[in-house]
Amino acid sequence: MQTEKPRPMRVLVAGGAGYIGSHTAKRLVEAGHVAVVYDNLSRGHRKPVEMLGLPAVYADLADRTALVHALREHGIEVVMHFAAYAYVGESVAEPLLYYDNNVATTIGVLRAMREAGVHRFVFSGTCATYGNPDHVPIREDAPKRPVSPYGRSKLMVEEILADCLAADPHFSYASLRYFNACGCAMDGSLGEHHEPETHLIPNVIQAIQGVKRELTVFGTDYPTADGTNVRDYIHVDDLADAHIAAMSELEPGRSIVCNLGTGRGFSVREIIAAAERVTGRKVPVVYGARRAGDAIALYADPSRARELFGWEAKYRDPETIIASVWRWRQAHPKGYRE
Ligand SMILES: NC(=O)c1ccc[n+]([C@@H]2O[C@H](COP(=O)([O-])OP(=O)(O)OC[C@H]3O[C@@H](n4cnc5c(N)ncnc54)[C@H](O)[C@@H]3O)[C@@H](O)[C@H]2O)c1
């Protein structure tokens, strides 16, 4: 594990106009690194990139010429690859879109890195690679049984990365399996804006604000303490810090594969109650049926990240996380759309 301050690195943040990528780019710069955003804006926003004053290349990662040029022009040493499509339902309806953008495009990124002589890669993995686990908390060696093309696309990339490592002694990578990313930058500068928004906490806040008419809770008959499903909510600033810590550990021939979560699970009803405490307002809730494929409970055993690179989540209670979303959404009721 690193003890001295890591040297500054030049990092391409692929998907840096998106939610987790923009927060990570910000933290990279704050930690003294250089962050260059690469994004086709298909699902991200120019606004956070402009606010951060980051150099940016607005192009598709499938455009190999543009990508190799960007890697060389900016002297990139590490690629952090956040760019992907990430809607489970959409992946079921359009699997080829997901295998194209999440798998084929990633192969292209790895080829472009080879061409440009870049050897360090940090990948956005996901707890969706585990599917419905037999046990919680989930350890990294739990069976990988993704239940959607989205989850399978991410697992495929992990397998490709392991093969690349075996074939190339200069290569190194980290695959960080996030649980439920949430929250907004603690200084209020950046937020989460997806269209459509499928994540629980922003939907709870938008229902409180009246931006959405109500919040639908999918399933109240799960075998959990209060009948709703349980997830591990990990703050986006914590995720960003984990990327920076993992990056600093990469050296030729090394791979890091680990969970990023708090290790604690909260039910949907617990999140709603926490939001009501934070905002002092009632969440208008309607109750619907379970959604196909939703696991009962998913939360991480996050101990490997602590052992490998000394990371653990700082923001552990839902109130703190929800307060960061509430602050940002009050200042930006339309998200980045204003
Ligand atoms: N948000 C979560 O809870 C969560 C959990 C686990 C894993 N992940 C993974 O983390 C990553 C980031 O998630 P997010 O919530 O920030 O997503 P996001 O949609 O906000 O950001 C993704 C960004 O990638 C860009 N992009 C997509 N395809 C591209 C392409 N071909 N070329 C260039 N740019 C492209 C989009 O425009 C967008 O700005 C994704 O890989 C996702 O699968 C997210």
Side-chain angles (χ1 to χ4, degrees):
M1 194 188 301
Q2 200 96 18
T3 45
E4 301 157 21
K5 196 170 162 45
R7 76 174 173 86
M9 304 275 249
R10 303 183 64 82
V11 184
L12 191 84
V13 185
Y19 170 48
I20 306 170
S22 58
H23 284 77
T24 305
K26 171 176 177 287
R27 300 290 285 180
L28 277 165
V29 172
E30 287 168 358
H33 302 285
V34 173
V36 178
V37 167
Y38 192 109
D39 202 297
N40 65 4
L41 297 176
S42 58
R43 301 197 170 179
H45 310 272
R46 208 181 269 266
K47 205 160 180 185
V49 183
E50 288 176 354
M51 272 169 40
L52 296 170
L54 297 173
V57 179
Y58 293 117
D60 199 294
L61 286 164
D63 180 344
R64 183 88 51 84
T65 312
L67 181 55
V68 171
H69 179 76
L71 293 171
R72 289 198 172 126
E73 192 194 7
H74 293 280
I76 295 300
E77 299 164 283
V78 186
V79 172
M80 288 193 180
H81 184 36
F82 298 93
Y85 294 152
Y87 292 119
V88 169
E90 184 183 56
S91 81
V92 173
E94 293 198 62
L96 296 181
L97 183 69
Y98 275 67
Y99 292 124
D100 243 343
N101 201 44
N102 295 4
V103 183
T105 300
T106 303
I107 294 172
V109 173
L110 294 166
R111 282 192 188 280
M113 287 172 60
R114 271 197 128 171
E115 204 175 322
V118 181
H119 303 296
R120 297 180 188 88
F121 188 70
V122 182
F123 178 63
S124 299
T126 167
C127 65
T129 54
Y130 298 112
N132 293 306
D134 299 328
H135 306 285
V136 281
I138 306 173
R139 282 163 42 117
E140 288 80 356
D141 56 6
K144 314 298 175 300
R145 295 181 300 232
V147 294
S148 69
Y150 167 66
R152 278 189 283 279
S153 74
K154 293 285 184 174
L155 183 56
M156 283 176 197
V157 172
E158 285 199 355
E159 288 169 346
I160 291 167
L161 290 173
D163 289 339
C164 290
L165 188 82
D168 178 357
H170 302 293
F171 186 60
S172 60
Y173 73 91
S175 182
L176 305 176
R177 296 179 186 149
Y178 324 151
F179 281 66
N180 285 47
C182 57
C184 297
M186 276 301 176
D187 65 4
S189 60
L190 300 178
E192 175 173 17
H193 180 165
H194 290 116
E195 285 182 28
E197 187 55 78
T198 55
H199 296 149
L200 177 63
I201 293 175
N203 277 328
V204 167
I205 295 297
Q206 287 179 52
I208 285 177
Q209 287 180 305
V211 174
K212 290 196 173 156
R213 212 174 48 188
E214 64 213 4
L215 176 83
T216 306
V217 173
F218 296 102
T220 51
D221 58 350
Y222 284 97
T224 57
D226 66 19
T228 61
N229 51 28
V230 168
R231 295 291 180 268
D232 185 335
Y233 293 91
I234 176 75
H235 193 275
V236 66
D237 281 350
D238 276 329
L239 286 181
D241 290 348
H243 283 70
I244 297 168
M247 169 184 85
S248 304
E249 293 293 321
L250 291 181
E251 52 191 49
R254 176 143 197 222
S255 64
I256 292 173
V257 178
C258 66
N259 292 335
L260 296 181
T262 62
R264 297 174 70 192
F266 290 94
S267 72
V268 174
R269 285 195 213 264
E270 284 175 318
I271 294 294
I272 292 171
E276 291 181 341
R277 285 195 296 276
V278 167
T279 62
R281 301 202 199 162
K282 238 18 227 158
V283 183
V285 178
V286 296
Y287 295 98
R290 291 186 187 195
R291 275 184 310 202
D294 268 354
I296 300 164
L298 294 173
Y299 53 94
D301 176 340
S303 51
R304 191 190 276 183
R306 189 176 56 237
E307 284 152 22
L308 292 182
F309 50 91
W311 173 88
E312 57 188 351
K314 283 202 284 283
Y315 305 113
R316 308 182 63 80
D317 63 289
E319 281 84 357
T320 308
I321 293 172
I322 291 166
S324 73
V325 181
W326 178 230
R327 208 162 39 236
W328 191 73
R329 278 279 165 185
Q330 277 183 304
H332 308 276
K334 294 183 180 157
Y336 289 124
R337 277 241 160 171
E338 289 142 309

